[in-house]
Amino acid sequence: MVSGVCTGLAEHLGVRVTQVRVVMVLLATLSGAGVALYAALWAFTSSTPAQSSPGPSAPATSSTSASSGSAATDHRERRRGVALAVLGVVGSVLSFMVTTATGLHVIVPVVIVALGAGLVWQQYDGGGRGSPRSVFDWARVTAGATLVVVGLAVVVLGQVELAALRSSLLAVVATLVGVGLLSVPVGLRLWRSLEEERAARIREAERSDIASHLHDSVLQTLALIQKRSDDPAQVARLARRQERELRQWLFGAGSRMSSGAATVAGAVEVMIGDVEDVYGLRVDQVVVGGDGPVGDAEDAVLGAVREALVNVAKHAGVDTADVFVENDGRVLSAFVRDRGRGFDPDAVDGDRHGLAQSIRHRVESRGGTVRVRSTLGRGTEIGIEMPLEGE
């Protein structure tokens, strides 16, 4: 009736469940021995899910006797079980009072505590539902905990005088305050030690990261430079790439230099790195203003900038160039400048499509403008302006 212990025993022994319940009632009249036995079997034996239940409200952990018949038989058996359970509780209380000369002021709180513990155990039984999920489950757990607390409080307060209890509480509080005051220096010293240890771990981790990065990047590049010291162009290319990677690492994730190719600043960085690695051209870049995603307009400007840098690497006769990119929210501007040999834009052959198609047409087809200023012997500057729609 409570957790299926008698039903499980009856099924295991092959007898009727009423016989087992009668034995439990008789044992309960022996100073509550039957109640203790029932609780011990409930606590220390594993429960299995029921195949069926003897009544509509029987616990899920109850087993069903093989002789369970119709609904009327189940109802009569359940009523008989409730009567036996009540008889067992009453008999255990009376026998306990007679054998120990203890009054109801102790027995009743103990029964209340037992009922509360039973409610909580029924919810958290290993074969039961486990953690509360429904309102009924929470009500069961809350009621059980309340009964346990109230029963224990009645037992304790009934044995203690209030005046002595107040003096005891004051003594306990004073002792705790004294212990707290004495332990403050020790606690502060322990806290400082923990903070110092934490800071030391952080510093050690940072040193380890720095050492790993320097070994994987700078030291490896220096070893390559030593092996290829007879090739100045290759040495310069390796040094430029390592400088760019080291700058990105030092500036950190919040810098524009490591913002990724998904934004204008990141795309400029990736594009310039590609040009430097492929063509051996050193590019000094400056990116100012706002940053944003790369759309069609931004992609056209970046493609024109890359083509201009490629022209510098092929035709200007220099190994350096400057790139300036500015986004003021309305117009994306880009300038590519070199101090090379220069050229006359009007004298460019018609079959040379680098400036006409890859730069002018790419930008102007998106609504932008291209301005070319070049002086023989003094270099070239290409200015690009692209209006940003919807900004």
Side-chain angles (χ1 to χ4, degrees), residues 65-321:
S65 174
S67 61
S68 296
S70 63
T73 303
D74 292 340
H75 183 65
R76 286 196 303 270
E77 184 178 298
R78 183 170 184 80
R79 284 173 43 186
R80 191 182 303 119
V82 171
L84 289 173
V86 172
L87 183 61
V89 172
V90 174
S92 64
V93 170
L94 292 177
S95 64
F96 189 79
M97 291 175 62
V98 170
T99 55
T100 62
T102 304
L104 291 177
H105 65 282
V106 175
I107 296 297
V108 173
V110 171
V111 172
I112 292 175
V113 171
L115 290 176
L119 289 174
V120 177
W121 278 22
Q122 202 170 31
Q123 178 62 42
Y124 289 98
D125 185 20
R129 288 180 291 273
S131 300
R133 297 179 181 178
S134 63
V135 177
F136 179 76
D137 293 341
W138 281 109
R140 185 209 304 266
V141 174
T142 304
T146 303
L147 290 176
V148 171
V149 172
V150 170
L152 292 176
V154 170
V155 173
V156 173
L157 293 179
Q159 305 297 324
V160 178
E161 297 181 2
L162 294 180
L165 180 61
R166 183 170 59 183
S167 300
S168 300
L169 290 177
L170 290 176
V172 171
V173 171
T175 303
L176 292 177
V177 171
V179 172
L181 292 176
L182 293 176
S183 61
V184 166
V186 178
L188 292 177
R189 188 180 303 110
L190 179 61
W191 178 263
R192 284 195 295 267
S193 299
L194 292 175
E195 288 295 322
E196 291 175 357
E197 182 182 358
R198 178 174 176 271
R201 283 201 309 270
I202 293 175
R203 288 194 298 269
E204 183 63 27
E206 290 177 348
R207 282 196 293 265
S208 178
D209 292 340
I210 292 174
S212 299
H213 182 83
L214 291 178
H215 176 271
D216 296 339
S217 59
V218 178
L219 295 180
Q220 297 289 353
T221 303
L222 291 176
L224 289 175
I225 289 176
Q226 291 178 357
K227 291 182 178 180
R228 303 178 182 180
S229 57
D230 56 343
D231 187 354
Q234 185 67 17
V235 169
R237 185 174 303 147
L238 290 172
R240 282 195 300 270
R241 182 169 60 186
Q242 185 55 59
E243 177 189 2
R244 184 173 63 253
E245 292 178 358
L246 188 59
R247 188 184 297 117
Q248 294 173 12
W249 180 67
L250 290 175
F251 287 162
S255 170
R256 316 181 69 113
M257 295 295 295
S258 57
S259 56
T263 63
V264 173
V268 170
E269 173 190 351
V270 172
M271 178 263 297
I272 289 178
D274 180 63
V275 171
E276 287 184 339
D277 292 339
V278 174
Y279 297 96
L281 181 69
R282 178 184 179 85
V283 181
D284 295 327
Q285 59 175 332
V286 176
V287 182
V288 298
D291 198 4
V294 178
D296 293 337
E298 292 83 357
D299 185 68
V301 173
L302 293 175
V305 170
R306 187 184 191 284
E307 186 62 27
L309 290 175
V310 171
N311 288 339
V312 172
K314 291 182 176 180
H315 308 297
V318 293
D319 56 2
T320 60

Side-chain angles (χ1 to χ4, degrees), residues 307 311 348-361:
E307 186 62 27
N311 288 339
V348 176
D349 296 336
D351 58 347
R352 304 295 295 273
H353 300 291
L355 179 61
Q357 294 294 329
S358 300
I359 298 179
R360 286 190 182 277
H361 179 73

